[in-house]
Amino acid sequence: MTTPNKTPPGADPKQLERTGTVREIGSQAVWSLSSCKPGFGVDQLRDDNLETYWQSDGSQPHLVNIQFRRKTTVKTLCIYADYKSDESYTPSKISVRVGNNFHNLQEIRNYLVLQISEILGYCVPCFLLT
């Protein structure tokens, strides 16, 4: 189990993308959510605006499914969180699962978010998956 920390200066994924350190590949995938309130769905989750967000609307677990059309290697996963703005919506546990389809997913990483009241920024190390 790994515990993500606050983002150190320079770890903003957009900044890392501009320098060629990482490449955003989320646009190559089909995104779906277990539930969402109207106006708080995939578009808001993916719009690069830190003022908009996904808000679930249903019982747990709350899931974000990212399906690539072909086999794709993902080395990092970046998640932005701000406890002061999100409060009870800030995740306390993040599970990363992979598979060939929804029915054979296997957990490869399990992150317990400790010190939840201190979360502000991109979780680091942006969830290294390799």
Side-chain angles (χ1 to χ4, degrees):
M1 195 171 298
T2 305
T3 304
N5 302 313
K6 288 191 274 185
T7 307
D12 178 342
K14 291 295 177 189
Q15 187 176 27
L16 294 173
E17 188 176 13
R18 284 190 293 274
T19 64
T21 306
V22 298
R23 183 169 54 104
E24 200 281 332
I25 60 171
S27 60
Q28 299 172 17
V30 175
W31 292 65
S32 62
L33 305 168
S34 55
S35 68
C36 68
K37 291 189 176 181
F40 295 91
V42 171
D43 291 341
Q44 291 73 33
L45 178 68
R46 300 259 315 132
D47 69 5
D48 289 335
N49 180 349
L50 298 181
E51 300 298 316
T52 61
Y53 49 89
W54 161 51
Q55 187 172 359
S56 60
D57 186 23
S59 59
Q60 292 185 10
H62 304 304
L63 305 173
V64 176
N65 297 300
I66 306 168
Q67 295 175 291
F68 291 92
R69 290 172 178 83
R70 60 180 189 196
K71 188 174 181 179
T72 303
T73 301
V74 177
K75 294 186 178 182
T76 58
L77 173 65
C78 297
I79 297 175
Y80 183 87
D82 179 353
Y83 178 78
K84 287 182 174 58
S85 295
D86 303 337
E87 295 182 4
S88 66
Y89 294 103
T90 303
S92 59
K93 178 182 176 186
I94 298 169
S95 174
V96 179
R97 302 171 188 172
V98 300
N100 292 323
N101 61 58
F102 187 77
H103 300 291
N104 74 349
L105 296 176
Q106 295 183 3
E107 186 173 70
I108 61 166
R109 294 287 187 272
N110 184 342
Y111 300 93
L112 181 61
V113 181
L114 302 174
Q115 300 176 333
I116 196 166
S117 63
E118 294 182 15
I119 295 175
L120 172 60
Y122 288 94
C123 297
V124 174
C126 292
F127 303 112
L128 293 173
L129 303 179
T130 56

